[in-house]
Amino acid sequence: PMARAAVFDRMRNGILVFDPSGSLIDFNRSSTEIFPHITHDAIGTPVTDLLSANPAFLKLYASADGESGEIEITGACGAKVYSVTNSASSEKGRELCRIFELADITRQADLLGKLKEMASIDQLTGIWNRRFLLELGEKEISRLRRSRRGMSVIIADIDRFKSINDTYGHAHGDAVLKSFADVV
């Protein structure tokens, strides 16, 4: 009981523990911040009833032991992204329980999204950059080959663009590029 109060209930990550039949047998305080409907009255409730509103969690629950993933849960504070780790506790080859640890990775997921956007969008014009466009083109060509459909590509060029930069300066050249991107 002391270890439970000192460690388990003070853990930052949410912990849900289910018996081999899939019924909730324990949880910590942090898990109630993620799933407010989980109270001590929920002990013994099957996971399919307890978390029926979270199909992404149920999918991870149904996966093999050790399978982990990410799920998004919308609550009072908006949507949050959690990394879910699934492990089993066994003794003499018999499963005693399955333990799910949920770590809030919303900030990391947001930063990763911003980083991906920065890597694929040209900062000046706000349009896809060459690298991203080539990646997207390869995917589309592959998809179109499988579906045996055609594709059209339009290539545009700004004639004598170097002379704009040389005559009016790079700031004006940037304005022309932005304007051109807006029109396209």
Side-chain angles (χ1 to χ4, degrees):
M2 280 179 38
R4 178 176 172 60
V7 179
F8 188 68
D9 271 337
R10 291 185 182 168
M11 292 177 70
R12 179 176 293 175
N13 294 344
I15 305 289
L16 298 173
V17 184
F18 297 93
D19 68 15
S21 71
S23 295
L24 183 70
I25 56 175
D26 207 354
F27 60 93
N28 69 349
R29 189 176 304 139
S30 293
S31 63
T32 63
E33 293 171 15
I34 302 166
F35 304 110
H37 64 281
I38 295 180
T39 63
H40 288 288
D41 294 337
I43 298 290
T45 305
V47 66
T48 51
D49 295 340
L50 188 66
L51 296 169
S52 61
N54 300 93
F57 183 89
L58 293 176
K59 184 177 179 184
L60 279 174
Y61 183 88
S63 66
D65 175 43
E67 192 81 19
S68 61
E70 294 177 7
I71 62 172
E72 187 173 302
I73 298 174
T74 304
C77 297
K80 289 193 173 193
V81 180
Y82 293 90
S83 170
V84 181
T85 305
N86 167 12
S87 61
S89 178
S90 302
E91 186 177 279
K92 298 179 184 176
R94 191 176 132 246
E95 184 179 288
L96 299 175
C97 64
R98 290 180 67 191
I99 304 162
F100 290 83
E101 181 176 2
L102 292 93
D104 184 351
I105 59 165
T106 306
R107 186 167 183 261
Q108 294 92 321
D110 288 345
L111 290 173
L112 183 60
K114 287 177 185 171
L115 187 60
K116 284 180 181 178
E117 182 179 315
M118 289 172 61
S120 61
I121 303 288
D122 178 72
Q123 187 176 3
L124 174 68
T125 61
I127 61 174
W128 292 331
N129 63 25
R130 181 178 185 271
R131 184 184 56 75
F132 181 78
L133 194 58
L134 290 173
E135 285 178 19
L136 182 64
E138 286 179 18
K139 289 177 187 174
E140 283 300 306
I141 289 169
S142 176
R143 186 177 65 83
L144 292 169
R145 280 186 181 143
R146 286 192 308 272
S147 66
R148 299 181 183 262
R149 297 182 74 188
M151 178 173 140
S152 297
V153 176
I154 298 173
I155 298 175
D157 185 30
I158 301 175
D159 291 335
R160 296 180 297 280
F161 180 71
K162 184 179 180 326
S163 67
I164 295 170
N165 274 340
D166 292 345
T167 305
Y168 302 104
H170 289 282
H172 283 0
D174 288 352
V176 169
L177 287 175
K178 288 178 192 177
S179 178
F180 181 76
D182 288 343
V183 170
V184 171

